[in-house]
Amino acid sequence: MPRLFFALWPDDETRSRLAAAVESLPKLPGRLVPARNLHITLVFIGAVTAEQEQLLRTGADAIHAAAFELNLTQLGCWTHAAVAWLAPEATPPALLDLVARLQSVCREAGLAPDTRPHVPHLTLARKVRRVPAVNLAPIRWQINTFALVESAPGRTGSEYRPLAFWPLIPA
Ligand code: 2AM
């Protein structure tokens, strides 16, 4: 069964800017997430049946939520999860609204999404317990879509593949 999650998936231009920002940092310890896999998870779902996946897609079709902008300004690290991340200076209410709607879509599909408070972060590296203090040049990312993404084991860690995108309503 595929392992799925809803995510913010960078367009090519944003992905290039993210990759350039990572390259400009002092080398992070641990295992870097390849540029092709960079994303922000909205709701992690896990393994689903074909029927549940169809319910997720139909539920996502019915979402009318606002587009928003993220301004990634923070480089940090969670020691418990051993991940280094980029995070926005503030969490836009529109992002939390989208997460809440996607959690309901999951529940309506009979799934139990993680309901801990959502802390948006873009994982840059794993097996990291500290990051250098840096002055990060802010990275602006206009969010016009959200995606359903599949996570599959790869040779060097998980590989992520967007399966479908949905538009957000321009502000
Ligand atoms: P992370 O980057 O903080 O590890 C795919 O695995 C994505 O879903 C990752 O971005 C991961 O966040 C997130 N995720 C959230 N909860 C997860 C879980 N229980 N298992 C695997 N990934 C999870």
Side-chain angles (χ1 to χ4, degrees):
M1 293 203 300
R3 279 163 62 82
L4 303 185
F5 57 102
F6 284 112
L8 303 177
W9 191 258
D11 55 71
D12 290 348
E13 190 267 334
T14 306
R15 189 174 297 285
S16 303
R17 286 189 292 117
L18 287 166
V22 174
E23 272 173 31
S24 74
L25 295 172
K27 191 177 163 357
L28 292 170
R31 190 156 46 79
L32 272 189
V33 175
R36 65 180 178 278
N37 284 337
L38 295 173
H39 66 276
I40 291 181
T41 298
L42 294 169
V43 179
F44 183 76
I45 304 164
V48 300
T49 63
E51 188 192 349
Q52 285 168 327
E53 178 177 339
Q54 191 48 52
L55 288 169
L56 292 171
R57 287 172 180 257
T58 311
D61 287 344
I63 287 184
H64 297 283
F68 55 93
E69 185 183 77
L70 287 179
N71 191 20
L72 301 173
T73 56
Q74 315 292 321
L75 171 68
C77 161
W78 287 324
T79 49
H80 61 282
V83 295
W85 38 256
L86 292 178
E89 60 185 350
T91 302
L95 186 153
L96 295 179
D97 174 65
L98 178 59
V99 167
R101 289 169 194 245
L102 291 170
Q103 286 175 337
S104 331
V105 165
C106 292
R107 282 193 292 273
E108 279 158 25
L111 296 155
D114 191 346
T115 51
R116 288 173 299 178
H118 184 74
V119 183
H121 64 283
L122 186 150
T123 297
L124 294 182
R126 300 189 184 278
K127 303 199 164 123
V128 182
R129 289 204 160 69
R130 52 190 302 217
V131 288
V134 290
N135 254 338
L136 188 72
I139 305 159
R140 287 185 181 275
W141 177 7
Q142 175 61 39
I143 311 287
N144 296 320
T145 60
F146 67 92
L148 182 65
V149 183
E150 178 173 4
S151 168
R155 271 190 307 121
T156 55
S158 295
E159 289 292 333
Y160 307 124
R161 184 169 67 99
L163 302 176
F165 290 88
W166 288 266
L168 294 168
I169 301 163

